[in-house]
Amino acid sequence: DIQMTQSPSSLSASVGDRVTITCRASQSINTFLNWYQQNPGKAPKLLIYAASSLQGGVPSRFSGSGSGTDFTLTISSLQPEDFATYYCQQVYSAPQSLTFGGGTKVEIK
Amino acid sequence: QEQLVQSGAEVKKPGASVKVSCKASGYTFSDYYIHWVRQAPGQGLEWMGWINPKSGDTNYAQKFQGRVTMTRDTSISTVYMELISLRFDDTAVFYCVRDQEPQSQVLYYFYGMGVWGQGTTVTVSS
């Protein structure tokens, strides 16, 4: 199975900061990588698919990049509603198997 | 609007089974795969498997094979997830999730999971 490793597992940042989250796959997954945001007590929400494509309705301050094994999610200017946990997900081995990363919690500094 | 509405919270004893329902509305039920994702308290997301509502075909994560069964009732646009032989560490929120793109789309899974149910809390307690 493909393993997904996110770093850091948590970070503290202030409103207006630029934040970068990393996701690494245990093998090359091309650009078969999605990002989700989960606010406390809520269901996750799709932010980015295919490594860099913004889901409709998602603010442009979110961006994704990468291919192969290394990917990043960047929030250009952190807003209060962005304090949440972010998960990457590989779908390279779909439909047989899908895997989430362990998550990165973005907290208020 | 497109939505998935799940059944309510459950409390079960170890060794029992639980069956969670997920009712789809606002779109053509048979067009989209539905997945189940588990989230233990304070933990991350764990993919459990999917069901193709059109054919009834299923695919389960290796970890859950033998304990999980996903079914559907097309007459009421509802999918079910049954987990048997519950253990304390099965305590979690279970989400049903729909693919963003229909299965007619080439590489439909490439586009992520776009519609989530509200989650169902299953507590395993003696």
Side-chain angles (χ1 to χ4, degrees):
Chain A
D1 281 5
I2 299 174
Q3 307 302 316
M4 305 301 293
T5 304
Q6 287 184 235
S7 60
S9 56
S10 66
L11 64 92
S12 296
S14 301
V15 172
D17 283 353
R18 181 182 182 88
V19 169
T20 298
I21 297 168
T22 297
C23 179
R24 175 164 289 174
S26 60
Q27 67 179 71
S28 177
I29 58 169
N30 200 321
T31 58
F32 286 68
L33 190 283
N34 305 317
W35 289 97
Y36 298 85
Q37 175 194 59
Q38 186 178 33
N39 290 103
K42 301 293 187 182
K45 168 188 166 184
L46 178 64
L47 289 180
I48 288 171
Y49 63 93
S52 61
S53 296
L54 208 61
Q55 174 70 349
V58 174
S60 60
R61 63 181 178 272
F62 290 94
S63 64
S65 65
S67 67
T69 60
D70 295 316
F71 302 87
T72 59
L73 172 69
T74 300
I75 310 172
S76 60
S77 178
L78 201 63
Q79 298 303 299
E81 60 268 31
D82 302 336
F83 291 96
T85 301
Y86 295 84
Y87 295 93
C88 61
Q89 176 202 39
Q90 69 81 17
V91 293
Y92 181 81
S93 54
Q96 287 74 26
S97 175
L98 296 80
T99 319
F100 289 97
T104 296
K105 186 174 183 180
V106 177
E107 299 175 299
I108 301 172
K109 182 182 285 184
Chain B
Q1 73 281 23
E2 302 172 335
Q3 63 177 349
L4 300 172
V5 178
Q6 300 181 223
S7 50
E10 303 263 12
V11 179
K12 297 292 182 180
K13 293 190 182 303
S17 63
V18 67
K19 192 170 186 177
V20 180
S21 69
C22 170
K23 183 171 176 61
S25 63
Y27 70 93
T28 302
F29 176 67
S30 59
D31 282 354
Y32 297 79
Y33 279 51
I34 288 183
H35 306 255
W36 288 89
V37 173
R38 182 173 84 168
Q39 186 170 38
Q43 302 301 308
L45 304 173
E46 183 174 33
W47 176 76
M48 299 179 69
W50 54 253
I51 181 166
N52 180 344
K54 178 178 287 187
S55 64
D57 289 345
T58 56
N59 180 59
Y60 305 136
Q62 191 168 7
K63 176 176 181 175
F64 296 99
Q65 284 181 5
R67 283 214 303 144
V68 69
T69 303
M70 297 176 191
T71 56
R72 94 292 194 210
D73 183 340
T74 57
S75 68
I76 55 171
S77 300
T78 299
V79 299
Y80 303 91
M81 185 282 299
E82 182 176 26
L83 190 63
I84 65 171
S85 303
L86 289 169
R87 307 185 288 249
F88 292 117
D89 63 359
D90 288 318
T91 294
V93 176
F94 292 80
Y95 294 99
C96 61
V97 199
R98 197 205 77 180
D99 277 335
Q100 180 66 11
E101 291 294 319
Q103 55 181 293
S104 59
Q105 168 72 45
V106 174
L107 296 178
Y108 56 89
Y109 44 83
F110 190 53
Y111 301 89
M113 300 176 178
V115 181
W116 292 69
Q118 83 276 20
T120 296
T121 299
V122 175
T123 302
V124 183
S125 173
S126 55

